[in-house]
């Protein structure tokens, strides 16, 4: 950080010699304002710990709901498989009787 301040002071001195004090001051203010607005915009888009916690809670709810639905689907699949096996066995026994 010390080096950065030293470089800024050197740049300010060089620009003041070339452009004048008022122009250099205006340019530095413009750069500071632009940088500040950019940082503020970036901070607004960052997620907080609460945001991440809320997302994790929502994901847990969705996973629980999906697991419940998958359990129901598995139950119905076994019911239909048993029905299919029963129908197939009935057809096989009908053919064997004749």
């Amino acid at each position: 950080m010390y080096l950065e301040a030293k470089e800024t002071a050197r740049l300010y001195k060089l620009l003041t010699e070339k452009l004048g004090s008022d122009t250099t001051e205006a340019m530095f203010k413009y750069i500071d304002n632009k940088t500040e607005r950019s940082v503020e915009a970036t901070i607004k888009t960052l997620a907080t710990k609460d945001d991440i916690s809320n997302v994790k809670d929502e994901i847990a709810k969705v996973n629980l709901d999906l697991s419940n639905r998958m359990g129901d689907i598995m139950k119905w699949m076994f019911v239909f498989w048993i029905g299919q096996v029963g129908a197939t066995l009935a057809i096989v026994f009908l053919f064997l009787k004749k």
Side-chain angles (χ1 to χ4, degrees):
M1 196 145 194
Y2 171 74
L3 187 62
E4 201 173 284
K6 198 174 184 181
E7 290 174 352
T8 303
R10 182 171 169 252
L11 178 63
Y12 185 84
K13 182 181 174 190
L14 287 171
L15 288 174
T16 302
E17 291 171 2
K18 297 282 184 183
L19 302 174
S21 177
D22 292 338
T23 305
T24 303
E25 193 68 36
M27 189 166 62
F28 269 77
K29 283 182 182 177
Y30 174 78
I31 291 170
D32 283 343
N33 287 337
K34 271 293 224 192
T35 304
E36 203 171 301
R37 277 186 261 141
S38 175
V39 168
E40 287 173 1
T42 302
I43 288 172
K44 287 180 183 177
T45 60
L46 293 176
T48 62
K49 288 182 181 179
D50 290 335
D51 294 336
I52 293 171
S53 174
N54 290 340
V55 169
K56 285 182 180 179
D57 291 343
E58 289 298 319
I59 289 173
K61 288 178 188 175
V62 168
N63 283 340
L64 182 62
D65 186 41
L66 285 176
S67 65
N68 288 340
R69 287 186 184 193
M70 288 302 292
D72 290 341
I73 290 171
M74 291 296 288
K75 289 176 195 174
W76 281 108
M77 286 172 51
F78 283 118
V79 168
F80 285 118
W81 288 345
I82 291 170
Q84 287 295 321
V85 168
T88 304
L89 287 176
I91 292 172
V92 168
F93 284 131
L94 281 176
F95 282 122
L96 289 178
K97 280 187 177 181
K98 290 185 179 186

